[in-house]
Amino acid sequence: MASTIRRDLAVRAVVERELLDDHVPLVALLDIETVHTAALALHAAFDEVTASGRHVLHTFAVKACSLVPVLRLLDGFGIGCEVASAGELALARAAGVAPDRIVLDSPAKTVTELRAALDQGIALNADNPQELARLDALIGSGRPRSPLGLRINPQLGAGSIDAMSTATATSKFGVALKDEGARDWVVRAYLDRPWLTRMHCHTGSQGVPLWLMAAGVHAVHELAEEINAAAGRQQIDTLDIGGGLPVNFAGDLVTPTYHEYARLLRSEVPGLFSGRYALTTEFGRSLLAKAGTVLARVEYTKDAGGRRVAITHAGAQVATRTVFAPDAWPLRVAAYDGHGRPKNGGMLRQDVAGPCCFAGDLVARDRELPALEPGDLVALLDTGAYYFSTPFGYNSLLRPGVHGFSVADDGAVTFATIRRPQTWEELITESGGDR
Ligand SMILES: *Cc1c(COP(=O)(O)O)cnc(C)c1O
């Protein structure tokens, strides 16, 4: 059954089961089958190019969907966690993800966080020379349980979205490899530390083309080979190639695919798959985006200055990037009637606005959609990563519930709650109401 059909059935079931009504005008949905399909595709793509018997640890970048049941689900699909804060580490552990299936990559790890990760044997990538010095002090003359690496910024340039491009000349992430003296410093840093056995790069996220991602991996592989040659042994045994596969927000097609990327890596960096290196990946958006839908009720419609505006319950609180950077993060919007049936025809150019009290709170501008009316529903598509899971607390709007769904062959929809809708009591307490 096509994912679009599953989505339509789920929207219908949401209305029938009153998961969305006048009390709760906003919900988020996650199609479990879409997540499973993405996880299988990731495994298959790397299995195809990896030397048999060599280990690939796929991890999920927790920031893309920081919900414990989602992390547990992915762990069940053979995908661990990449965490970038103590909070994300706590979520991964709460989901039951084993320490040896977690990688810690924050750029601002405190001594407390470093010590905790080392105590638990969690792999981490140091971001910079000062962090490496902290590790020296914590490790002393011992041999750490944690596999340890260094993050390299190959300084290859930006993709189409500056804020998502981590491999620019002046990026805040990793050791800037092309800076004067940096390469020699990195080689020495490894030779002086026999326990430094990994190397990490993540060239960027949405907007970074595949060839640029592959060029980042190429640079890191080349450097690892140079260091291993200088060490006279396979000191670096694992390369962490980051995540960043872009997502197609313009249609239902999954493009580019993990297969395309894995095959590009095989042709551009054949040594990656020689069997000499274990690999770690850290995909986020590409595993979850297509599985998510934000569903909101249209509360009012109006005309202003010749423009039709639909005021809905989905705005900056669940689509923060789209509202603040609309050109970089356009979302598709689908229209349903009050019974949850797809609306077709009667096309009209409209703004789709959210509930927040600022004028720019629009998730779509001048967009041709079936004429929306109060009581209709709008669906923000491809919002499984970095949308409802990372809400913005503006206007004290309640965080929506997130429901996973599955559709049986006969069309029957089953929901499982992933995150309860926030309650007034929780909102008040989190806002200092207990003080
Ligand atoms: C954000 C991030 C990722 C995941 O990026 P996606 O574009 O969501 O795949 C992976 N690794 C690191 C270090 C990151 O910061």
Side-chain angles (χ1 to χ4, degrees), residues 413-430:
V413 180
T414 313
F415 291 105
T417 298
I418 291 173
R419 182 181 70 199
R420 282 182 303 100
Q422 191 181 27
T423 65
W424 294 114
E425 291 71 28
E426 287 164 346
L427 173 75
I428 292 166
T429 304
E430 288 173 28

Side-chain angles (χ1 to χ4, degrees), residues 49 210-219 221-222 260-273:
V49 296
L210 291 194
W211 66 262
L212 189 60
M213 294 167 58
V217 176
H218 185 273
H221 173 262
E222 192 174 54
E260 286 168 56
Y261 183 44
R263 286 172 192 166
L264 181 69
L265 285 174
R266 182 175 56 187
S267 70
E268 297 297 312
V269 201
L272 198 59
F273 304 107

Side-chain angles (χ1 to χ4, degrees), residues 28-352:
L29 305 174
L30 200 67
D31 184 341
I32 303 305
E33 189 172 327
T34 302
V35 180
H36 194 199
T37 303
L40 290 174
L42 175 59
H43 283 296
F46 280 82
D47 286 352
E48 182 189 275
V49 296
T50 310
S52 68
R54 272 323 276 193
H55 185 60
V56 182
L57 173 64
H58 295 295
T59 65
F60 171 64
V62 169
K63 69 177 187 287
C65 191
S66 45
L67 298 168
V68 172
V70 170
L71 306 183
R72 196 181 295 130
L73 180 78
L74 286 168
D75 193 38
F77 296 157
I79 296 176
C81 286
E82 186 265 354
V83 298
S85 70
E88 289 182 358
L89 176 55
L91 298 181
R93 298 294 288 133
V97 180
D100 64 357
R101 302 179 51 72
I102 299 175
V103 181
L104 172 63
D105 282 335
S106 150
K109 306 175 199 78
T110 63
V111 173
T112 307
E113 287 169 12
L114 289 170
R115 189 178 290 122
L118 292 174
D119 285 347
Q120 295 175 69
I122 286 166
L124 69 88
N125 293 305
D127 181 80
N128 58 64
Q130 292 174 356
E131 189 180 338
L132 214 46
R134 285 186 177 178
L135 287 173
D136 288 339
L138 288 167
I139 290 164
S141 56
R143 181 112 198 145
R145 262 171 69 211
S146 297
L148 300 172
L150 184 65
R151 180 166 182 170
I152 299 296
N153 169 11
Q155 288 172 299
L156 295 170
S160 63
I161 308 175
D162 273 350
M164 295 295 114
S165 301
T166 47
T168 57
T170 57
S171 163
K172 75 170 183 178
F173 291 107
V175 176
L177 189 62
K178 289 183 179 167
D179 282 8
E180 178 91 40
R183 196 177 184 94
D184 291 342
W185 180 86
V186 171
V187 173
R188 193 72 255 157
Y190 275 85
L191 297 180
D192 289 345
R193 294 172 183 80
W195 42 261
L196 209 47
T197 57
R198 294 188 167 195
M199 190 173 278
H200 175 223
C201 76
H202 167 68
T203 303
S205 293
Q206 191 70 18
V208 174
L210 291 194
W211 66 262
L212 189 60
M213 294 167 58
V217 176
H218 185 273
V220 158
H221 173 262
E222 192 174 54
L223 178 58
E225 290 281 282
E226 182 182 329
I227 290 168
N228 285 340
R233 67 188 183 99
Q234 184 81 23
Q235 177 174 339
I236 299 174
D237 59 16
T238 303
L239 297 177
D240 181 338
I241 64 171
L245 193 79
V247 165
N248 172 23
F249 285 99
D252 286 308
L253 193 67
V254 174
T255 179
T257 62
Y258 291 122
H259 270 293
E260 286 168 56
Y261 183 44
R263 286 172 192 166
L264 181 69
L265 285 174
R266 182 175 56 187
S267 70
E268 297 297 312
V269 201
L272 198 59
F273 304 107
S274 62
R276 286 205 301 285
Y277 295 97
L279 298 179
T280 302
T281 73
E282 307 172 337
F283 295 99
R285 183 175 290 106
S286 52
L287 278 165
L288 260 291
K290 289 260 166 239
T293 301
V294 169
L295 194 63
R297 212 164 57 141
V298 177
E299 203 58 56
Y300 299 106
T301 57
K302 59 167 74 167
D303 292 287
R307 177 74 58 87
R308 175 66 61 85
V309 184
I311 298 176
T312 81
H313 288 276
Q317 89 278 31
V318 284
T320 315
R321 282 179 171 158
T322 296
V323 167
F324 288 110
D327 295 335
W329 300 103
L331 282 177
R332 290 185 294 154
V333 178
Y336 294 88
D337 69 15
H339 300 286
R341 294 175 300 219
K343 276 188 101 158
N344 296 305
M347 302 302 273
L348 194 66
R349 302 193 77 87
Q350 314 163 65
D351 282 0
V352 181

